[in-house]
Every structure is written in C-alpha cells, then in structure tokens.
C-alpha cells in the first residue's frame, strides 16, 4: 500500500485488518471511519424539503399554540364563579375558531365557545358542553371544576425559542407539518448526496426488451434505484456497462468525477471477466473486497479520489442485503444524518434452518405473532442469493452469527424486521 493512500496506511496498523475476509461489524466500522459529511448547505422551499437533511437546528420562532384556546366545545367562564358551583351563568355571546368573542367577560357571565376558539378576556376555564344544562340564555353548571380546565395554553406544545428539530434530522411528512405549524416556509438543508449507479455484465438486458439465449434482465439497478429513492439522494443512473476493461475504467472515472458515491453491481467476484476490483486498485484504493457475510461475500469498498465506491455483488439478493446492511447507513452518515438504530429482537424459528459456520448470514424470514403474542419466524424457503422473490416475501432478516451452525425448529433466533 503506497504512501498516497493515507487511509489504507492507517488501516495497516490495525492488527486484524484482513481485506480478504472482513467481518461485517468491522466492515461497518471501517466504512464509517472513512466518511466525511457533506458540508454545503442550501435553503429550500418547504414543499421541496421532503427527505432532505436539516443543516442546522430549528428553533421555534413562536409559541405553539400562539394564544390560549379552547380544547372543547362548551362554555368559557371565570373560575371564581365556578368555584361556587352549582351556579347559573348568563350567556353573553359565542366564540368560534377563527372568530373571537370581542369584549370582556365579567363575573356571573360566560361565552358559548367552540373547540379551537380563542379564550375570551376575563375567562380562565372552559366547562364542557356535556356538563351543563341550558335554560334560555343561562347555563346551569354543577360542581367539580378546576382552574384552567379544557384550555390549551399558549406555548403548551412548543415554547418560543425551544429547539424543535436538530441538525441531521431527515425531513419526513411529520417534520413538514411541524415546520409549517411554526410558520416556516423555508429550511436550510445539506445539498443532496450525488450517487452514481451502474450495473456490469454482458448478459444483462433492459426490462421492456426481449431476451436472447443466455441473457437475463438487469434487476439490480431497479432494486437499487428503489432503495436509493427512499433515502432522497440524487441518482445518476449510468445504465449497464459491458464487461470490458476500457469501458469499465471510463465509467468508474466518469462516475468518480460527478458523484459523491458510486454503487455498482456485479464484476467483483474472481471470475475471468470481473475487472471491477482490479480497476479499483489501479485507479483508486481498495479498503476490502470480501466480507464474511452471506449473501454478499464479494463486496468491494474503496475510494476513487474523494468518491466512495461500493462494488456490490451481482446476485440480486446479495445486492439488496449488502445495501441494507452496509451501504444505507454509510449514505445516511454522508448526508449528515445519524443512522437509525437497527431494531433486532428474538423470535422462535418455526422451521429448521440450514447454516454452515464461518459467515454471518442474513436469511429472509416471515415474522408473525402466534395466539399468545409470541414472535414466530418462518424462513421464506430457498435462500439462494439469486432468488429475489425471497426478498419480496420476507418482512425480516433472520440474523445468524458467524459461528452458528444448523438450527432446529423451536429454537430462538435474532430477527431484524424491515
Ligand atoms: P457477477 O458478480 O458479475 O459474476 O454476477 C453474479 C451473478 O449475478 C451472475 O449470475 C449474474 O448474471 C448476476 N447478475 C449480475 N448483475 C446482475 C443484475 N444487474 N441483475 C440481475 N442479475 C445480475
Ligand atoms: Mg458479471
């Protein structure tokens, strides 16, 4: 490893660094160590902010709610009157949401008020409609009230100046609504992460065209497109590149010049036409190229200049599993987000599971609860890394540690719902 590969040199000092068989946990750590968060920011209109990442904390410019409002339909009154209930109060007007009662309510009087209406001056409590009896322009109110009942106080949800959202938060529908509720029409976000994508393989054909003998459809670019779409990155789709050194080299260099991250599929195993790893070593740096995981053993990670490179396997299931286990969190970190904690819990395996010790496995499972509320997991059947229907049927991974062997039905396993 040459001196112009500082990251690789720093890895050499780690005693257990083995690029030829990287445990999943260590691969995680190595990737995370080499990532630098995007710093460029821009201000975007709230409607364009979905899936973007906040570049600074958002402080509330106002109290929410901005004033005191009624939480119920009923009668706004003075607690000093209600303290002596049962009592009879004179109705002097109405207050509706968006139409306040103008004027002050004095002793012995009340205002018919609707949910969401401003509390009239002089009032400090709202008696629910269901708890009164109307007698012409009077209401009879029974005992048992407390000051401030049925009122949403100004600033009760969010006080002015409070931190509402923190830097690194991805904006989802709830955050869109929250920002709007504060009257904010623009937010400062990190620029979008640019992710280039291509498939490799002379056998690949595009959906929509017919297949010649020996051809298969390129499914990886579509599953990747979908998974990237959920993250809100800018996708640079470079299509399918032939298994030819010159074309691949040109594509790698072009992607590295345009994108923050390049994700490819296929061509990283050790077959004769698998040039990707070899080219990466030539034009960039290879951090590791094999990972002790199934599916997904050939997985190259490295850099071409400042572009992060993930050379995913060709097999369609392996593409989805390696993306979900290793790439997704890396992209979130680059976008300025904190990766979400991975939820893993125990379930009883309803089926026997075949497993050879040596690699961490992510088998596809279908998780459900039995009549006692106990979590039960079935395997989806054949676990070949080309059986993409297993990903479609599954709602969880059955996560089996490296050293694990075969498992009998009825044993407890770790599951990761998705
Ligand atoms: P490779 O790593 O290129 O040797 O590919 C491993 C297996 O995955 C081969 O059977 C390929 O035909 C298949 N494969 C590679 N790329 C794709 C793709 N984009 N879509 C579907 N299958 C693929
Ligand atoms: Mg190939």
């Amino acid at each position: 490893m040459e001196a112009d590969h500082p990251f690789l040199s720093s890895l050499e000092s780690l005693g257990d660094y083995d690029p030829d068989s990287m445990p999943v946990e260590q691969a995680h750590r190595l990737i995370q160590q080499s990532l630098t968060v995007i710093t460029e920011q821009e201000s975007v209109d709230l409607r364009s902010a979905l899936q973007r990442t906040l570049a600074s904390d958002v402080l509330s410019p106002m109290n929410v709610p901005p004033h005191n409002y009624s939480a119920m339909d009923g009668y706004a009154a003075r607690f000093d009157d209600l303290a002596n209930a049962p009592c009879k109060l004179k109705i002097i007007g109405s207050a509706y949401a968006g139409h306040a009662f103008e004027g002050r309510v004095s002793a012995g009087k009340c205002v018919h008020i609707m949910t969401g209406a401003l509390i009239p001056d002089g009032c400090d409590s709202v008696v629910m409609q269901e708890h009164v009896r109307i007698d012409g322009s009077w209401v009879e109110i029974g005992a048992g009230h407390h000051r401030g009942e049925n009122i949403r106080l100004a600033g009760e949800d969010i006080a002015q100046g409070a931190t509402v959202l923190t830097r690194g938060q991805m904006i989802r529908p709830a955050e869109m609504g929250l920002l709007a509720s504060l009257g904010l029409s623009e937010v400062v976000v990190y620029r979008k992460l640019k992710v280039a994508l291509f498939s490799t393989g002379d056998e690949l054909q595009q959906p929509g065209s017919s297949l010649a003998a020996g051809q298969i459809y390129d499914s990886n670019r579509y599953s990747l497109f979908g998974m990237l779409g959920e993250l809100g990155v800018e996708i640079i789709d470079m299509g399918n590149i032939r298994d030819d050194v010159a074309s691949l080299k040109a594509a790698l260099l072009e992607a590295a010049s345009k994108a923050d991250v390049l994700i490819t599929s296929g061509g990283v195993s050790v077959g004769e036409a698998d040039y990707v790893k070899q080219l990466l070593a030539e034009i960039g740096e290879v951090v590791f190229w094999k990972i002790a995981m199934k599916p997904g053993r050939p997985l190259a990670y490295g850099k071409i200049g400042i572009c992060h490179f993930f050379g995913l396997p060709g097999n369609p299931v392996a593409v989805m599993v390696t993306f979900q286990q290793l790439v997704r969190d890396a992209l979130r970190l680059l976008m300025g987000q904190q990766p979400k904690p991975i939820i893993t819990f125990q379930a009883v395996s309803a089926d026997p599971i075949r497993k050879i010790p040596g690699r961490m496995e992510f088998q596809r499972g279908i998780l459900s609860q039995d009549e006692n509320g106990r979590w039960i997991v079935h395997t989806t059947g054949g676990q070949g890394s080309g059986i993409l229907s297993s990903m479609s049927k599954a709602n969880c991974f059955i996560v089996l540690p490296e050293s694990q062997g075969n498992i009998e039905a009825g044993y407890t396993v770790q599951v990761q719902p998705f």
Side-chain angles (χ1 to χ4, degrees), residues 66-341:
H67 302 284
N68 298 342
Y69 293 96
S70 180
M72 293 285 175
D73 288 348
Y75 291 85
R78 308 163 66 95
F79 181 72
D80 289 349
D81 288 335
L82 301 176
N84 304 318
C87 62
K88 213 168 171 183
L89 303 178
K90 172 102 175 131
I91 306 167
I92 57 167
S94 306
Y96 298 89
H99 300 279
F101 171 79
E102 309 284 348
R104 212 183 148 74
V105 178
S106 53
K109 301 195 173 128
C110 68
V111 165
H112 190 202
I113 193 165
M114 312 304 146
T115 306
L118 207 58
I119 300 297
D121 282 347
C123 297
D124 58 5
S125 305
V126 171
V127 180
M128 281 168 68
Q129 186 127 319
E130 294 81 349
H131 295 170
V132 307
R133 221 176 62 85
I134 310 293
D135 178 6
S137 61
W138 294 81
V139 279
E140 288 175 23
I141 299 173
H145 299 279
H146 61 269
R147 196 185 297 277
E149 66 186 359
N150 302 317
I151 289 184
R152 284 182 68 211
L153 290 173
E156 180 179 280
D157 294 353
I158 303 166
Q160 184 173 358
T163 304
V164 189
L165 295 171
T166 47
R167 179 164 58 94
Q169 165 84 53
M170 188 205 222
I171 300 174
R172 299 161 302 173
E175 284 73 33
M176 302 272 285
L178 185 55
L179 290 162
S181 76
L182 302 176
L184 299 171
S185 59
E186 291 206 334
V187 273
V188 180
V189 295
Y190 290 116
R191 77 158 164 82
K192 278 195 181 184
L193 189 72
K194 287 180 253 177
V195 180
L197 180 65
F198 65 79
S199 304
T200 69
D202 290 347
E203 75 281 27
L204 301 180
Q205 186 59 272
Q206 291 322 300
S209 46
S210 54
L211 289 183
Q215 291 187 320
I216 58 167
Y217 288 116
D218 176 359
S219 57
N220 292 342
R221 209 146 42 83
Y222 292 83
S223 52
L224 282 167
F225 198 84
M227 292 187 292
L228 288 169
E230 289 176 347
L231 295 177
V233 302
E234 180 184 327
I235 301 171
I236 304 171
D237 186 348
M238 296 176 61
N240 174 37
I241 309 295
R242 303 193 65 74
D243 288 319
D244 151 87
V245 182
S247 317
L248 280 169
K249 185 172 178 177
L252 289 170
L253 289 171
E254 185 194 333
S257 72
K258 284 185 181 166
D260 301 299
V261 179
L262 168 61
I263 301 175
T264 65
S265 74
V268 283
S269 41
V270 284
E272 271 179 26
D274 294 322
Y275 304 116
V276 172
K277 186 206 129 196
Q278 182 187 316
L279 279 167
L280 179 64
E282 185 191 321
I283 60 173
E285 42 185 334
V286 186
V287 175
F288 57 77
W289 59 88
K290 271 192 190 168
I291 190 160
M293 111 183 228
K294 187 179 175 187
R297 191 191 330 241
L299 186 150
Y301 172 67
K303 285 178 111 173
I304 305 171
I306 56 167
C307 179
H308 293 272
F309 173 78
F310 293 92
L312 305 188
N315 280 309
V317 179
V319 164
M320 293 199 71
V321 175
T322 51
F323 183 92
Q324 293 179 11
Q325 295 300 324
L326 290 159
V327 184
R328 184 159 53 197
D329 275 358
L331 300 184
R332 287 203 176 113
L333 276 167
L334 288 169
M335 292 192 282
Q337 296 173 14
Q338 282 307 309
K340 295 185 190 154

